[in-house]
Structure formats: C-alpha cells, structure tokens
Amino acid sequence: MTVSIQRPGPVSGLEWTVLRGDRKHVMRALGAEHSDLVRAQRERSDGGWGENVRRAHATAARFEDIVAATTARLPLEAQELEWIAQGAEIDVAELWAQNLRGDLGRDGTGCSDVSFATSDGVVLGHNEDGDGEMRELIRLITLDIVEDPAVTLVWYPGMLPANSFVTTSAGLVFGMDHVPVAVADRAGCGRHFVARHAQRQRTGMDARNVLTRIPCAGGFAFDMADAPAGRVDLIESAAGRWAHTPGAPGVPHLHTNHLRAIDGTEPGLAVADDDAWLEESRSRLTALRQASSHARTAGDVVAALRAEGVRGRTDDLYTFSTVVVDTGSDEIVVQGPGDAWHGRWSAFTRGEKVDL
C-alpha cells in the first residue's frame, strides 16, 4: 500500500510530518523519513542512546523479561517498533533499549501537566522537557492509520510515538510525565507501549481501562482529557501498581515528576528524599501550582507552563514545547522554539494546519 506523506509546514518552529496509510507501511515510512534524525540522536555523545544500550546489556535478564512481557501482551505495538527500526535501518534491539529507558532505570526528569474540566469542555496542557541537546531533533508527527483514530504528537526520533504529548481524532488528549521507580516490575510492559495502546483506543473508557489494567514495568503519570465525556483523569502507573484519580469540578490536576497518588515511599518505588531531581520536581510543582491558580483558558495554561520555575531553560532540563488544548473552543496552542501558534484542535489531530 502506498503511504501518503504531507508536510503542513512548521508550527512554532517545529517541523511537522503527516503519514497516512496502513499500519505497516506508515511505521516503516516513519523510520525511513526520519532515519537521519534517528542516527543523529544515536551519535550524540550526551543524548543518552549509548548509555541506554549499555544499561540494557548490563541488565540483560531484566531487559529480556520486559521485552518478552511487552511482546506477549502488546504484540501490535511491539511490531510497530520493529517496523520503525526496519524503516530507519537500525538494530531493533537498540530501539528497545531506548524505549525501555524508564523501565530499566532512572530516566532523568522533566515534563509538567495541567488539566481541568470547564463548563463546555476540557483543557489540558503539557510541557515536553528533556536533555537540551535534543532540541533540534524534536518533531510533530501525525499518524493517520486506517485501522485507528488519527494521532498527532510531539515525537523523539527512534521512540514509539506515544511518550510525550498526544492528541487523537477520538477526542482524547494525553500528557505523560516520567516518574522514577527503584525496582522495575519485570512482568510489566514497557510504559511507551502501554501508552501507545491506550492512545489507539476509540473511547475514553477503553483508554482508561488500558491504563489501569496493563501494568507498566517502569513509571509514568498519564494526564488524560476525554472530550466526549467532558472529563479529565490522572492515572499513575509504576512498577505494576497504579492509582486513578478522576477530576473533580473546579479542581485542576497538576503533575510533574514524582508520585503523588501512589505511595512513593513503598519498597521498590522509593527515591532518596535528598535526591536532586526529586527536589527539582517538587519545586517545579510548587511553581506550577502558584502559576496556574487562576487558570481558566488555554492562554492561561500556556502562561503557567512557561512561568519562571516551571519552564526548563537549562541543558539538563530544557522545555522543547508547550502544547495546550481547549476542547470547548476547539483550540490548540503550540509553543516550540518560535512564537506561539493558535490552531483548530480538531483539524490538528488529523494532520491539518488550520490557523485561528
């Protein structure tokens, strides 16, 4: 089957590629079209790729257990990674090492989320943070696969498209935040694969069921907006444990990079109280709480996420993009390295650039 590839043009300095077709050929095309970016990430000394591959070798038994558990429970998502590797002409074992980085050990820190219901919809905002060396490699990607709802997301080359900000034509919006665990659940699945499976669902209920029934080996906080149901949910999934907090009227969900609903002091989850990244995450949450205390609109949430103490501006913690969706006004705001772009959210999810 022929894959259709379009480029709607940059959004706030982020290049955007839209791929349409059947799953196998779209995923292969995703890898092939961005093989230079995948290799650029691989070759950067400080990008973490080599460290992740070495860690996978050093923890071979754990790595193999998690790969096996993921492949058994989520075979379609595991196959998607294989197709990306084929397209990029790179060893799939290296892509597994990259995608299981937060399931095999600590994955640094970064990312912040705000979500709440309004009288006529839901609002969700996400900062995508990471190592500053990656800033030139981040892209917007739309996957319009005939079997699935279309998805548009912020994408790291070499990753299963699932682990950052994602919005879908089923009316769902997701923001993912890394949460560290000391000991992974070797019977759990790779967290990126769980995320991808949830994001392929056609209803919010089905997506919530995925996130509360399929355990992650490592840890993610899933901030999720369900426009058709008019609700937001926060689901933490860490080392086989999870906690689900539905949104309450007038009470926003806020999340950074530490467990809040699951008891983070439990054995296997506990991070030292003087851990520098834990302190940073707590401090960022405090700043986010203050900055978002009166947030009511997408613009308010953008301002909160880019406030002092929330937006990352160092090489160790750099905010690549801020994306906010307001389903009630059918608006999306994207702020990358350029000026903020305001567009039609329903079009954006399908890979169409419609300015507001």
Side-chain angles (χ1 to χ4, degrees):
M1 179 176 179
T2 301
V3 175
S4 168
I5 300 176
Q6 294 97 33
R7 293 178 175 82
V11 170
S12 187
L14 299 171
E15 298 293 333
W16 188 2
T17 304
V18 179
L19 302 102
R20 307 184 195 278
D22 72 286
R23 187 181 316 280
K24 176 179 180 179
H25 292 93
V26 163
M27 288 301 183
R28 281 184 173 174
L30 178 65
E33 286 293 307
H34 301 90
S35 60
D36 57 334
L37 297 179
V38 175
R39 294 181 183 283
Q41 180 181 353
R42 183 177 187 267
E43 292 165 6
R44 294 197 176 196
S45 60
D46 295 330
W49 189 293
E51 179 183 345
N52 292 331
V53 171
R54 288 190 292 273
R55 183 166 60 181
H57 286 304
T59 60
R62 180 172 54 181
F63 175 70
E64 291 167 4
D65 284 349
I66 297 172
V67 170
T70 305
T71 302
R73 296 195 69 166
L74 301 172
L76 188 56
E77 290 73 20
Q79 180 64 72
E80 287 184 330
L81 192 70
E82 177 79 35
W83 286 325
I84 293 170
Q86 291 173 4
E89 297 183 343
I90 198 161
D91 184 355
V92 71
E94 293 197 15
L95 291 196
W96 274 102
Q98 278 291 91
N99 281 268
L100 294 183
R101 64 188 189 186
D103 299 289
L104 297 175
R106 190 67 179 267
D107 185 21
T109 192
C111 301
S112 304
D113 284 276
V114 178
S115 65
F116 53 86
T118 67
S119 58
D120 56 357
V122 291
V123 174
L124 184 146
H126 175 81
N127 272 357
E128 185 58 34
D129 301 340
D131 189 319
E133 273 211 348
M134 292 290 294
R135 70 187 75 174
E136 296 176 1
L137 304 182
I138 302 302
R139 296 292 188 269
L140 290 175
I141 298 292
T142 298
L143 305 176
D144 190 358
I145 294 172
V146 293
E147 303 95 329
D148 293 345
V151 300
T152 299
L153 61 139
V154 176
W155 185 63
Y156 294 74
M159 294 298 180
L160 195 67
N163 68 309
S164 52
F165 166 87
V166 178
T167 185
T168 88
S169 61
L172 307 181
V173 189
F174 300 83
M176 276 64 67
D177 300 339
H178 167 68
V179 287
V181 301
V183 180
D185 176 12
R186 293 170 65 156
C189 299
R191 58 191 189 155
H192 294 189
F193 300 81
V194 176
R196 171 76 178 140
H197 190 61
Q199 293 151 11
R200 292 180 42 247
Q201 303 305 308
R202 295 191 176 276
T203 71
M205 179 61 73
D206 289 339
R208 289 185 289 274
N209 285 342
V210 168
L211 297 178
T212 55
R213 294 179 184 177
I214 300 180
C216 291
F220 255 161
F222 297 90
D223 201 51
M224 175 182 162
D226 178 354
R231 61 180 285 174
V232 295
D233 295 83
L234 177 62
I235 299 170
E236 290 181 344
S237 180
R241 286 157 277 196
W242 52 74
H244 178 195
T245 307
V251 180
H253 281 313
L254 306 177
H255 212 286
T256 52
N257 300 107
H258 59 280
L259 291 167
R260 301 180 62 213
I262 296 174
D263 181 359
T265 66
E266 290 182 14
L269 297 179
V271 175
D273 203 51
D274 61 353
D275 180 272
W277 286 121
L278 176 60
E279 293 178 6
E280 187 282 327
S281 179
R282 288 171 171 167
S283 174
R284 182 156 33 95
L285 180 64
T286 298
L288 181 61
R289 184 178 293 114
Q290 293 170 346
S292 63
S293 60
H294 300 293
R296 299 292 181 271
T297 68
D300 294 340
V301 175
V302 171
L305 287 169
R306 299 186 75 81
E308 188 70 30
V310 181
R311 177 187 175 193
R313 294 172 179 164
T314 68
D315 287 341
D316 290 334
L317 185 62
Y318 189 86
T319 297
F320 303 125
S321 64
T322 301
V323 188
V324 181
V325 169
D326 184 339
T327 70
S329 60
D330 195 16
E331 178 183 12
I332 184 166
V333 184
V334 180
Q335 179 119 40
D339 295 335
W341 173 78
H342 297 253
R344 186 71 66 194
W345 165 62
S346 56
F348 181 84
T349 64
R350 301 189 302 268
E352 301 168 7
K353 185 180 178 183
V354 178
D355 298 341
L356 284 181

